Amino acid sequence: MSSNATVTVEVGLGDRAYDILIGSGLLLRAGSEISRRLPGTRAAVVTDVNVAAAHLETLKAGLEKGGTQPAVITLPAGEKTKSFAHLEEVVDGVLAARLERGDVVIALGGGVIGDLAGFAAGIVRRGMNFVQIPTSLLAQVDSSVGGKTGINSARGKNLVGVFHQPKLVLADTEVLDTLPIREFRAGYAELAKYGLIDRPEFFAWLEQNWGKVFAGGPERAEAIAEACRAKADVVARDEFETGDRALLNLGHTFGHALEAATHYDSTRLVHGEGVAIGMALAYRFSSRLNLASPDDAARVEAHLRAVDLPWRMADIPGELPDAEALLAFITQDKKVSRGALTFILARGIGQAFIAKDVPASEVLSFLRENHPGQQESRPGQPKGSPG
């Protein structure tokens, strides 16, 4: 695949099917791509201050080429923007622009902006058209696809939201060149996740080619496209997360608990880093339960270390609440059903499965073993933080 080719991945949802376009220069093509699918619509662009500084003018030029002069709603950057207060700000901005139900809300940003703008689009006028233009690797391979939208509550992450599918996703690979390396690494955790769920060949490919993915070029676009295909397949089978789609939460139950425990402080932990630690914990927990080999857990940890991602709780700066408090965050997570603990565990690389009724006592014991304040070295455990 050439580095300037555009790849199209379809999310097959019948009459609500939509395309994910992956390639360079898509911001400048946004107006034509949107007007082709949603002719005559007016638009509001929701973005944050950091993304606006880097990419808003390019997107506006692209929209104006397609005949659209967008209203722009610019928010603070960071996880704390996924709040009721900023949801109200977006809703009010869309209404102030006098947009109608058939018009479109465009999310220009990472997962925070995509989740928030999508939620607003899902509830304003009982549901407006929505387009995702993800500007982070994490959003391009995960949060922009599949229609899960929402905000955080003081009681946990993503506890308030709706399913609201976009009409189009434009993943412009050029914008990733402006992404801070920490954010790119965090998004890479979600890339690796798809290999660990059910694509062992993809995980092995990433082990060999991750350096080229980081460097850009055709390998980067190829990896994004494969991740989008993986997610599109799952979403088409299980749009509302009543079955297989829960597999996409590999690493997220532990990860969300760690995010809540750090009060969503991005200086300590961003979402993808929480997922990375969560995936390592999920494989280690699977090994502890004699479901997966210790070698599989070690392989996951080795790859995360190779790309300089955190892989254990000790890699989070500052103190964490104790194991009991972490368990309390886990039981608040929306992946808990009627009090039973549900985890995505694994029997090997690319062999994830949904484990229901996991005993809380086992989880608590495991958290104590892996808590940096209570941790005892185990045979074969690597020493030191990743460089």
Side-chain angles (χ1 to χ4, degrees):
M1 183 176 114
S2 67
S3 59
N4 58 359
T6 298
V7 178
T8 301
V9 175
E10 184 184 61
V11 182
L13 292 171
D15 59 0
R16 293 178 301 109
Y18 56 92
D19 291 334
I20 308 163
L21 303 187
I22 303 149
S24 62
L26 288 171
L27 289 186
L28 284 172
R29 285 170 45 196
S32 61
E33 296 292 348
I34 292 170
S35 62
R36 188 154 65 85
R37 293 162 176 84
L38 300 167
T41 55
R42 294 183 302 141
V45 173
V46 183
T47 189
D48 69 43
V49 291
N50 294 343
V51 173
H55 303 299
L56 180 59
E57 290 309 311
T58 306
L59 175 61
K60 285 171 70 175
L63 291 173
E64 286 163 7
K65 277 186 183 179
T68 298
Q69 287 277 356
V72 177
I73 302 162
T74 305
L75 302 172
E79 186 73 27
K80 292 182 179 179
T81 298
K82 281 176 62 169
S83 66
F84 280 103
H86 290 298
L87 175 66
E88 183 177 10
E89 186 177 346
V90 174
V91 168
D92 187 63
V94 171
L95 294 173
R98 299 186 178 276
L99 296 187
E100 299 174 0
R101 189 176 187 187
D103 291 328
V104 61
V105 176
I106 300 170
L108 175 70
V112 168
I113 290 297
D115 285 1
L116 176 65
F119 188 17
I123 60 177
V124 175
R125 302 196 186 281
R126 297 187 176 87
M128 293 179 61
N129 292 319
F130 177 46
V131 169
Q132 286 268 23
I133 305 183
T135 58
S136 70
L137 178 60
L138 189 149
Q140 289 191 0
V141 302
D142 188 66
S143 59
S144 68
V145 180
K148 285 173 73 171
T149 73
I151 59 174
N152 300 331
S153 158
R155 298 186 182 276
K157 187 177 172 70
N158 295 332
L159 293 178
V160 183
V162 295
F163 285 91
H164 188 59
Q165 297 291 346
K167 297 293 185 182
L168 175 67
V169 180
L170 299 175
D172 190 330
T173 53
E174 276 185 46
V175 305
L176 301 181
D177 292 336
T178 65
L179 207 61
I181 186 61
R182 183 185 179 201
E183 293 294 332
F184 191 91
R185 281 195 195 103
Y188 183 88
E190 295 279 5
L191 260 182
K193 178 188 76 174
Y194 292 105
L196 293 174
I197 290 171
D198 63 358
R199 279 169 161 74
E201 300 87 356
F202 182 46
F203 186 74
W205 184 88
L206 288 171
E207 287 177 308
Q208 296 298 315
N209 292 283
W210 68 266
K212 294 176 182 177
V213 174
F214 274 70
E219 287 83 7
R220 177 181 291 180
E222 187 176 336
I224 293 170
E226 182 64 16
C228 287
R229 288 186 200 102
K231 183 155 190 183
D233 287 350
V234 174
V235 171
R237 291 199 307 269
D238 179 22
E239 181 178 1
F240 299 110
E241 199 174 55
T242 58
D244 280 0
R245 184 165 177 173
L247 291 169
L248 297 174
N249 294 320
L250 175 66
H252 285 59
T253 300
F254 286 122
H256 282 173
L258 293 170
E259 286 184 88
T262 54
H263 307 289
Y264 307 110
D265 180 352
S266 61
T267 64
R268 298 180 64 192
L269 189 72
V270 296
H271 175 66
E273 292 169 344
V275 171
I277 297 170
M279 291 190 301
L281 289 172
Y283 267 83
R284 202 176 305 157
F285 191 37
S286 298
S287 172
R288 185 184 194 273
L289 297 175
N290 295 316
L291 296 166
S293 162
D295 291 343
D296 292 323
R299 186 176 163 192
V300 173
E301 292 171 5
H303 186 54
L304 296 174
R305 290 201 309 277
V307 302
D308 205 16
L309 273 164
W311 56 278
R312 56 186 182 176
M313 287 191 273
D315 293 331
I316 301 172
E319 291 188 10
L320 289 173
D322 63 19
E324 287 78 6
L326 291 177
L327 181 63
F329 282 119
I330 287 172
T331 59
Q332 180 61 55
D333 193 84
K334 65 187 181 308
K335 296 160 195 66
V336 176
S337 177
R338 299 186 185 277
L341 296 181
T342 298
F343 283 83
I344 309 305
L345 300 179
R347 297 186 177 92
I349 302 295
Q351 298 180 59
F353 69 99
I354 302 166
K356 298 185 177 180
D357 299 320
V358 176
S361 58
E362 288 278 3
V363 179
L364 182 60
S365 177
F366 175 73
L367 288 170
R368 284 174 176 156
E369 287 176 8
N370 289 275
H371 194 288
Q374 301 164 261
Q375 195 173 35
E376 295 181 6
S377 293
R378 297 180 302 284
Q381 180 182 315
K383 307 292 185 186
S385 296

